[in-house]
Amino acid sequence: MSEAFGFREFGGPQVQDFFDRPDPVPSPAEVLIRVTVAAVNPLDHKLRSGVVPQFYGDRPFPQVFGAEAAGVVLAVGADVEGLDVGDTVFGCTLSGAGTYAGTTVLLGTNTARKPEGLRDDWAATIPVAGTSALNAVDQLDLPSGATILVNGVGGGVGLLTAQVARDRGLHVIGTGSTAKRTLAEAVGATFVDYTEGQVVARVRELAPDGVDGVVDLVGGASLRTVAPLVRDPKKVVSVADPAVAELGGEMVHRRVDRADLERVAALMVEGRLDPYIVRTYPLSQAPEALALVESGHALGKVVIDLTGGTASEG
């Protein structure tokens, strides 16, 4: 039995609550872990709102928030290879088991051993945010020297996307609100403040012939504003909005496999990628952590420490 934070029905923050749940039983393809750190993502509140009810299959309410975590393996399913009890790992759950809890189950193929020198909180940001950034830049497949526009650069995925692109020799332009400027510039992006208006004109000043690729993390009207800035509409990849197909682009092709987890982890260990964790909360303050991300004003990544720590910044 462990404490968890989740929701008792689909809806807004009013349906959230803490509760105790039995330790999940891993299927043959899963591992059971004791969670040390869970990362917070926009996906969490979107799932609570019920936009993808099928994500939970026939799992009954209450549901537990969270999709990515780091922790220690407590049990290993019969079909899982390469992981053992006692391993320190990071990965994601695709079964709806949630990660804002003392224990959870992760899919074995979507879980990797944590390498020497990688902090648990950094590792917890890799399965969703880190691989989203990697997959998006991989999908664009731009040559060194090309220019990429990261629409919504100041959040966790945006900052990681900018760094992966920079690491491949791409010129990065990033859009965001005024508060995101410092972090965006810290990762080497040329920042365009959308709160000042004239986003298209400003990007045109920086790239008169248009950009070579767009990674969209915002969707909606913002995506429709920046999409025409790319020379080839097929080079628009969105993490946020399936309507990108109407503009000639594609949703990011997600691959949360062990190989990609290890690729992102290696970049972090080598000092080439920083998740920019700006706030750590204990599980008791999970509502505040989720509210910050849901507000859209979080700078970088927000994580939940399940080892008994207190709230901290940086």
Side-chain angles (χ1 to χ4, degrees), residues 42-304:
L43 172 67
D44 302 343
H45 65 78
K46 291 177 181 178
L47 289 173
R48 182 207 63 212
S49 72
V51 294
V52 193
Q54 63 270 26
F55 179 83
Y56 295 100
D58 58 1
R59 185 183 292 273
F61 285 104
Q63 307 295 352
V64 178
F65 284 113
E68 60 181 348
V72 178
V73 177
L74 300 176
V76 179
D79 297 338
V80 175
E81 298 180 354
L83 299 174
D84 298 303
V85 171
D87 284 346
T88 303
V89 299
F90 61 102
C92 69
T93 174
L94 298 181
S95 64
T99 58
Y100 295 21
T103 59
T104 195
V105 287
L106 306 177
L107 191 62
T109 54
N110 293 13
T111 303
R113 283 193 178 99
K114 187 171 68 70
E116 195 81 23
L118 182 63
R119 291 164 28 181
D120 278 21
D121 55 349
W122 283 35
T125 70
I126 293 174
V128 174
T131 61
S132 291
L134 185 73
N135 293 163
V137 179
D138 281 351
Q139 189 169 332
L140 287 177
D141 192 25
L142 298 174
S144 178
T147 298
I148 184 174
L149 173 65
V150 180
N151 189 40
V153 72
V157 180
L159 291 169
L160 288 166
T161 301
Q163 291 173 81
V164 172
R166 180 200 63 195
D167 193 63
R168 298 186 188 181
L170 304 181
H171 301 296
V172 181
I173 300 171
T175 66
S177 62
T178 305
K180 310 293 179 70
R181 178 182 295 276
T182 299
L183 276 181
E185 292 179 345
V187 299
T190 301
F191 186 72
V192 175
D193 189 336
Y194 66 68
T195 62
E196 297 176 354
Q198 305 299 315
V199 169
V200 172
R202 177 64 178 133
V203 174
R204 288 289 186 196
E205 291 176 4
L206 299 168
D209 297 325
V211 298
D212 300 294
V214 171
V215 175
D216 167 62
L217 306 167
V218 182
S222 180
L223 167 60
R224 294 184 178 278
T225 296
V226 301
L229 291 165
V230 71
R231 288 196 285 270
D232 179 357
K234 295 178 182 177
K235 291 294 185 180
V236 180
V237 172
S238 182
V239 178
D241 192 345
V244 66
E246 301 170 11
L247 305 173
E250 294 183 305
M251 286 294 287
V252 63
H253 300 159
R254 295 290 285 120
R255 299 184 314 275
V256 192
D257 58 25
R258 191 174 296 171
D260 279 354
L261 294 172
E262 292 172 345
R263 286 174 64 195
V264 179
L267 291 172
M268 289 186 178
V269 172
E270 293 164 9
R272 295 154 63 187
L273 199 62
D274 185 329
Y276 283 90
I277 295 171
V278 295
R279 187 77 176 169
T280 300
Y281 292 86
L283 181 61
S284 62
Q285 293 182 6
E288 290 89 334
L290 186 59
L292 176 58
V293 172
E294 189 167 4
S295 75
H297 299 308
L299 306 175
K301 284 293 291 184
V302 175
V303 300
I304 296 172

